[in-house]
Amino acid sequence: MLSVEDLFSHLRRFPDVEAPNLFAVDAADRLILDEAADALAAAPDGAVAVIGDHYGALTLGAAVRFGANNIRVHQDPITGERALANNAETVGLAGRYRACELGEDLLAGARVVLMQLPRSLDELDEIADTIARYAAPDVVVYAGGRNKHITPAMNDVLRRSFANVRATLGRQKSRVLVADTPRPPAATSRFPVTEHLDELGLDVVAHGAVFAGPKLDIGTRFLLEFLPRMRDADTAVDLGCGTGILAVSLAKAQPAVSVTASDQSAAAVASAAATARANGVDDRVRALRDDAIASLPDASVDLILCNPPFHVGAAVHTGGAGKMFDAAGRVLRPGGELWTVYNSHLGYKAALKRAVGPTEVVGRSAKFTVTRSVRAL
């Protein structure tokens, strides 16, 4: 019989970035399962939901250790969703769970919710509201994370949706927040939120998990200054689209272009689609949840815009950006352009040249660099 430790030894992060300092299981996963042990042992089939499972440790751990079945799971990044699927197939547990969107299908009748705490308070707020809105009245939430990422504000956010919130004792630099007794929710959720950006003349729509929310982050603002210098395109991609500000701005600047706004985040893709609708360009902006545009054909795009992350989950790591540059090199047509903005200290120019082609610095601010890379003919 498979033990939890045997299970954990088999877990991989693939297709997410893998490196010696990046792990598929952490101490918070183990502590969440331990703190929820009694509740999981007593939960009937179909009463367990998992949110934010990084690579399957919570979902598959609950299945192996407590016999949980018909587990419902929501993971915002598609890489986490695919890693869980790969790991479940490897250990023969593919039939013990199903993936769901964040909403009623995920949470209706749920009595135990296991979750990794997100870094964003807005994401936590949207998740907590959704649990209180749809889960069983006696639901108990076990939300864990590394101590360095847990703040007192997280308790306050959870108390908006739950009457009782307490912190467990810490272990291995991790802790669990336990919440129960859902408060009556408002008639409608405040998410997604919409804000008008006067400087761009755009309405931006954002779910809680999206980087920068409905605001304009300074890297994107700098890249937008170069929009008039970008080539005219029939097809374009906003790679790592977030709320879709770059995609929508390009569509408004080039009336003939068709843009794919792509991100691995379910929240980002939903936000980008809503932003395109709010600005009347949804006929030319398509939102696509994908892992570094893997589903797009080779040599199929004229122009790519990219504001890449410099982290993988909570870890500072440039592997995600490298994966995006490689994808751009594959998907661009000969002569196609990749315009990238990044923190200047990261020095991505050489990596861009290797992945795409000749690369020039076209702008530099106190913090950011903008480059133009051209796919070799």
Side-chain angles (χ1 to χ4, degrees):
M1 179 179 291
L2 185 70
S3 71
V4 171
E5 290 307 315
D6 287 339
L7 165 70
F8 288 169
S9 71
H10 282 88
L11 296 188
R12 291 185 56 190
R13 297 167 56 95
F14 181 82
D16 203 355
V17 177
E18 295 188 298
N21 63 327
L22 299 175
F23 305 99
V25 184
D26 67 16
D29 291 315
R30 298 172 185 273
L31 186 58
I32 292 166
L33 290 170
D34 286 349
E35 290 292 341
D38 291 343
L40 288 168
D45 279 359
V48 176
V50 179
I51 299 174
D53 196 358
H54 292 155
Y55 304 101
L58 293 178
T59 304
L60 302 179
V64 168
R65 182 174 167 187
F66 302 100
N69 202 12
N70 297 319
I71 305 168
R72 290 169 284 174
V73 184
H74 173 71
Q75 296 160 282
D76 183 63
I78 197 170
T79 49
E81 195 173 285
R82 291 176 176 173
L84 168 56
N86 291 337
N87 287 326
E89 186 68 31
T90 297
V91 297
L93 295 172
R96 301 288 286 275
Y97 80 96
R98 63 182 175 90
C100 301
E101 296 182 0
L102 182 65
E104 186 172 7
D105 184 45
L106 172 72
L107 291 157
R111 295 171 60 185
V112 181
V113 175
L114 311 179
M115 61 180 286
Q116 281 273 0
L117 283 163
R119 298 288 296 276
S120 161
L121 294 178
D122 280 343
E123 182 176 2
L124 180 59
D125 196 6
E126 185 170 15
I127 290 170
D129 175 84
T130 306
I131 297 170
R133 192 174 295 276
Y134 297 118
D138 61 348
V139 66
V140 182
V141 181
Y142 298 87
R146 305 293 281 167
N147 288 342
K148 62 184 178 181
H149 302 310
I150 298 177
T151 66
M154 290 179 171
N155 293 271
D156 298 333
V157 169
L158 287 169
R159 288 191 182 100
R160 294 175 196 163
S161 295
F162 296 91
N164 301 317
V165 179
R166 63 178 178 86
T168 68
L169 295 176
R171 190 180 76 199
Q172 293 181 288
K173 300 180 180 180
S174 300
R175 193 174 301 274
V176 174
L177 304 181
V178 182
D180 63 59
T181 315
R183 298 184 188 276
T188 58
S189 172
R190 75 178 186 93
F191 293 97
V193 298
T194 302
E195 287 192 17
H196 183 75
L197 299 182
D198 289 333
E199 63 183 295
L200 300 181
L202 298 182
D203 291 324
V204 179
V205 184
H207 285 274
V210 181
F211 174 74
K215 308 295 184 183
L216 176 62
D217 80 89
I218 55 178
T220 294
R221 176 185 283 114
F222 190 41
L223 183 56
L224 285 171
E225 293 181 17
F226 298 87
L227 207 59
R229 296 176 55 180
M230 297 177 189
R231 62 165 292 171
D232 291 334
D234 293 325
T235 55
V237 170
D238 177 358
L239 178 54
C241 64
T243 56
I245 290 175
L246 288 172
V248 170
S249 297
L250 180 64
K252 292 175 76 71
Q254 297 192 19
V257 72
S258 294
V259 187
T260 297
S262 183
D263 205 293
Q264 67 166 338
S265 161
V269 168
S271 300
T275 297
R277 287 193 299 272
N279 293 281
V281 293
D282 51 310
D283 58 330
R284 292 186 296 115
V285 175
R286 173 180 72 118
L288 173 68
R289 186 174 181 232
D290 201 357
D291 179 14
I293 51 175
S295 65
L296 297 189
D298 294 358
S300 61
V301 170
D302 300 314
L303 176 64
I304 297 176
L305 285 64
C306 185
N307 180 1
F310 57 87
H311 55 84
V312 176
V316 175
H317 197 283
T318 59
K323 186 175 182 179
M324 296 168 84
F325 300 158
D326 289 342
R330 179 185 66 81
V331 170
L332 280 171
R333 294 189 176 107
E337 296 178 357
L338 168 65
W339 287 72
T340 309
V341 61
Y342 55 88
N343 291 73
S344 296
H345 73 275
L346 294 172
Y348 281 149
K349 184 179 176 182
L352 287 162
K353 182 178 179 180
R354 287 193 301 271
V356 180
T359 297
E360 61 174 328
V361 173
V362 295
R364 183 173 281 126
S365 68
K367 186 175 182 180
F368 292 101
T369 294
V370 171
T371 56
R372 171 181 173 267
S373 305
V374 180
R375 191 74 176 97
L377 294 172

